[in-house]
Amino acid sequence: MRVVIAGGHGQIALRLERLLTLQGHEAIGLVRNPDHAADLADVGATAVVLDLEQATVAELTAELSGVDAVVFAAGAGPGSGIPRKDTVDRAAAASLAEAAERQAVRRYVLISSMGASFDPPPDTDEVFAAYLRAKRASEDDLSTRDLAWTILRPGRLTNDVGTGLVNLQTSVEPGSVPRDDVAAVVLGLLHEPATAGTTLELVSGDTPVADAIARFA
């Protein structure tokens, strides 16, 4: 597979890129900062310098030529304000999905967040609430498109070493999950077209990744 990952320098993205290249696939990461290209090269991926907030749909479409799948792993990140939650987590995701449609790249995995399925409670931090609303908007947009999409909502992300054991369901109780295991699940989803059209939630559990994904095949 030739896979483009938006947010290619993110912590999940770098792990996914390493896994893809270890399996002999081609990983291409879209990054805003050219200084990040070396980190992608270290995991065997190719960097394409492109600012998702500034790129046109036409520019994004050109970068998807000859691509088999797209993963949206981008995010405005900690410390960013409310406006960037919209421009990255919603608008950039919609632009990339539109580009995938134009280029007929069918397989598309969106990394979202647990909590995006409902409106944030009134006492939620306003920036985090904006993030969840942006993720929900990106989910709603993607679900209307003519793509073989899968939406993945991980729980609280940790840098613990992955166990390869997860709880992957259409709905799970809140919990945490190592970024290692999120990357492994995304890789598995890319290989399993039967998960298209599904929204899945992910936390740590006791089921091997392959078996958890096979339940939806």
Side-chain angles (χ1 to χ4, degrees):
M1 285 189 295
R2 192 166 189 253
V3 183
V4 163
I5 301 103
H9 191 256
Q11 295 188 66
I12 293 173
L14 287 169
R15 288 165 166 83
L16 175 60
E17 288 155 0
R18 183 185 296 277
L19 293 175
L20 283 165
T21 55
L22 285 173
Q23 287 195 356
H25 303 297
E26 183 179 359
I28 302 163
L30 304 182
V31 299
R32 184 174 59 175
N33 186 343
D35 293 340
H36 291 162
D39 292 333
L40 271 70
D42 286 344
V43 298
T46 301
V48 171
V49 179
L50 189 68
D51 188 337
L52 291 172
E53 291 177 273
Q54 303 298 326
T56 66
V57 173
E59 289 170 331
L60 291 168
T61 302
E63 295 300 339
L64 300 186
S65 178
V67 168
D68 299 298
V70 175
V71 176
F72 191 88
S80 59
I82 290 175
R84 292 200 66 226
K85 301 305 181 188
D86 183 72
T87 56
V88 178
D89 294 280
R90 181 199 61 80
S95 294
L96 191 62
E98 183 175 344
E101 277 189 312
R102 291 188 184 187
Q103 197 61 271
V105 181
R106 293 282 299 156
R107 196 69 177 108
Y108 194 108
V109 175
L110 170 68
I111 300 177
S112 184
S113 174
M114 285 189 68
S117 59
F118 50 82
D119 202 50
D123 59 348
T124 304
D125 173 79
E126 62 177 2
V127 176
F128 187 62
Y131 165 77
L132 291 176
R133 291 190 181 104
K135 285 298 188 187
R136 179 57 183 266
S138 67
E139 291 184 9
D140 290 346
D141 173 82
L142 183 60
S143 66
T144 67
R145 295 187 180 275
D146 184 23
L147 296 168
W149 55 265
T150 302
I151 294 166
L152 181 66
R153 296 173 178 161
R156 183 177 60 82
L157 300 171
T158 76
N159 286 327
D160 296 337
V161 175
T163 65
L165 300 174
V166 299
N167 183 9
L168 180 70
Q169 306 284 343
T170 55
S171 178
V172 301
E173 291 297 317
S176 63
V177 61
R179 289 178 171 88
D180 287 349
D181 290 334
V182 178
V185 168
V186 173
L187 179 67
L189 294 174
L190 289 172
H191 283 298
E192 183 45 78
T195 60
T198 60
T199 298
L200 303 173
E201 297 187 343
L202 172 68
V203 294
S204 291
D206 55 13
T207 304
V209 168
D211 292 343
I213 293 173
R215 291 174 176 174
F216 300 92

